Amino acid sequence: PQGSEEAKAFVSAFLKRSMPRKKDEAIQDLLTRKAVVLEHYSKKKTKQKRKKTKGFTAKQRREMRLFEIEPEQQRYAIFLPLHELWKQYIRDLCHGLKPDAQPHMVQSKLLKADLHGAIVTVTKSKCPSYVGITGIILQEFKHVFKIITKEDKLKGKIFFIVPKLNNVFSLEIDGFISYIYGSKFQLRSSERSAKKFKLKGTIDL
């Protein structure tokens, strides 16, 4: 390996041969102001593959009890603020629910809206024990509603899992009453926004 003085001499001699028209002062100025790159190899950047995060399976969710509400939280009064938020959400969605609003337009928006927090009543059912159940929807799944009611002394419980199939539900907001035919409503809440509901058709339980 060469020493620092020998390296300087080599660089000066090399630059003089490479740039014979430049004076020594210009060469020295070049060395102090600019970097001379002799060789450069660009390294290709390897893109790291992103790992897709896998969610829990339905079995894992059941085992972890993610959708279960603890008994001490199953109180109607706790979820009344949720209902007030839902009403404001529907008013904003329907532009205030004005008296001159067309019913079919409101109905179409309600069918695609999120129903968590809505107060519903089972008005018709093939199972008579479901008729009259009124409460706040806490959870909606593809085939069932989980509803919390006021203390029901007759049935002896406050929390109901009501199937959509063979049931007709009604919900009321600002005087507007809408009916949901559960047999035609077997969708997850996230899927309804893209669903086209028919305004006319066969309606049954």
Side-chain angles (χ1 to χ4, degrees), residues 35-45:
V36 179
V37 180
L38 299 179
E39 292 182 354
H40 176 70
Y41 295 98
S42 60
K43 293 182 180 180
K44 293 183 178 179
K45 295 182 180 180

Short mmCIF file of all heavy atoms in Angstrom, two decimals, residues 35-45:
data_model
loop_
_atom_site.label_atom_id
_atom_site.label_comp_id
_atom_site.label_asym_id
_atom_site.label_seq_id
_atom_site.Cartn_x
_atom_site.Cartn_y
_atom_site.Cartn_z
N ALA A 35 -15.63 16.01 -6.31
CA ALA A 35 -15.21 14.63 -6.08
C ALA A 35 -15.07 13.94 -7.42
O ALA A 35 -15.90 14.10 -8.32
CB ALA A 35 -16.24 13.89 -5.23
N VAL A 36 -14.01 13.17 -7.58
CA VAL A 36 -13.77 12.44 -8.81
C VAL A 36 -14.14 10.99 -8.58
O VAL A 36 -13.55 10.31 -7.73
CB VAL A 36 -12.29 12.54 -9.25
CG1 VAL A 36 -12.07 11.75 -10.55
CG2 VAL A 36 -11.91 14.00 -9.45
N VAL A 37 -15.13 10.51 -9.31
CA VAL A 37 -15.58 9.14 -9.16
C VAL A 37 -14.94 8.31 -10.25
O VAL A 37 -15.18 8.53 -11.44
CB VAL A 37 -17.13 9.05 -9.24
CG1 VAL A 37 -17.59 7.61 -9.08
CG2 VAL A 37 -17.76 9.94 -8.16
N LEU A 38 -14.11 7.35 -9.87
CA LEU A 38 -13.43 6.52 -10.85
C LEU A 38 -14.30 5.37 -11.30
O LEU A 38 -14.40 5.07 -12.47
CB LEU A 38 -12.12 6.01 -10.26
CG LEU A 38 -11.11 7.11 -9.86
CD1 LEU A 38 -9.86 6.47 -9.26
CD2 LEU A 38 -10.75 7.97 -11.05
N GLU A 39 -14.92 4.70 -10.36
CA GLU A 39 -15.78 3.56 -10.69
C GLU A 39 -17.01 3.61 -9.79
O GLU A 39 -16.93 3.99 -8.62
CB GLU A 39 -15.05 2.24 -10.47
CG GLU A 39 -13.92 2.01 -11.46
CD GLU A 39 -13.25 0.66 -11.24
OE1 GLU A 39 -13.61 -0.01 -10.26
OE2 GLU A 39 -12.41 0.29 -12.04
N HIS A 40 -18.12 3.24 -10.38
CA HIS A 40 -19.36 3.26 -9.61
C HIS A 40 -20.27 2.14 -10.12
O HIS A 40 -20.53 2.04 -11.32
CB HIS A 40 -20.07 4.61 -9.75
CG HIS A 40 -21.40 4.65 -9.06
ND1 HIS A 40 -21.51 4.64 -7.70
CD2 HIS A 40 -22.66 4.68 -9.55
CE1 HIS A 40 -22.78 4.66 -7.36
NE2 HIS A 40 -23.50 4.69 -8.48
N TYR A 41 -20.71 1.33 -9.17
CA TYR A 41 -21.62 0.25 -9.51
C TYR A 41 -22.93 0.49 -8.76
O TYR A 41 -22.93 0.60 -7.53
CB TYR A 41 -21.04 -1.12 -9.11
CG TYR A 41 -19.79 -1.48 -9.86
CD1 TYR A 41 -18.53 -1.28 -9.29
CD2 TYR A 41 -19.86 -2.02 -11.14
CE1 TYR A 41 -17.38 -1.60 -9.98
CE2 TYR A 41 -18.70 -2.36 -11.83
CZ TYR A 41 -17.47 -2.14 -11.24
OH TYR A 41 -16.33 -2.46 -11.92
N SER A 42 -24.01 0.61 -9.51
CA SER A 42 -25.32 0.81 -8.87
C SER A 42 -25.89 -0.53 -8.42
O SER A 42 -26.00 -1.47 -9.21
CB SER A 42 -26.29 1.48 -9.85
OG SER A 42 -26.45 0.66 -10.99
N LYS A 43 -26.20 -0.58 -7.17
CA LYS A 43 -26.78 -1.81 -6.62
C LYS A 43 -28.29 -1.80 -6.80
O LYS A 43 -28.96 -0.81 -6.52
CB LYS A 43 -26.45 -1.92 -5.14
CG LYS A 43 -24.96 -2.11 -4.87
CD LYS A 43 -24.72 -2.26 -3.37
CE LYS A 43 -23.23 -2.46 -3.08
NZ LYS A 43 -22.97 -2.60 -1.64
N LYS A 44 -28.79 -2.87 -7.31
CA LYS A 44 -30.24 -2.99 -7.50
C LYS A 44 -30.89 -3.26 -6.15
O LYS A 44 -30.48 -4.14 -5.41
CB LYS A 44 -30.57 -4.12 -8.48
CG LYS A 44 -30.10 -3.84 -9.89
CD LYS A 44 -30.53 -4.98 -10.82
CE LYS A 44 -30.10 -4.69 -12.26
NZ LYS A 44 -30.49 -5.79 -13.17
N LYS A 45 -31.91 -2.45 -5.86
CA LYS A 45 -32.63 -2.63 -4.61
C LYS A 45 -33.63 -3.76 -4.74
O LYS A 45 -34.43 -3.79 -5.68
CB LYS A 45 -33.35 -1.34 -4.23
CG LYS A 45 -32.41 -0.19 -3.92
CD LYS A 45 -33.21 1.05 -3.51
CE LYS A 45 -32.28 2.20 -3.19
NZ LYS A 45 -33.03 3.42 -2.80
#
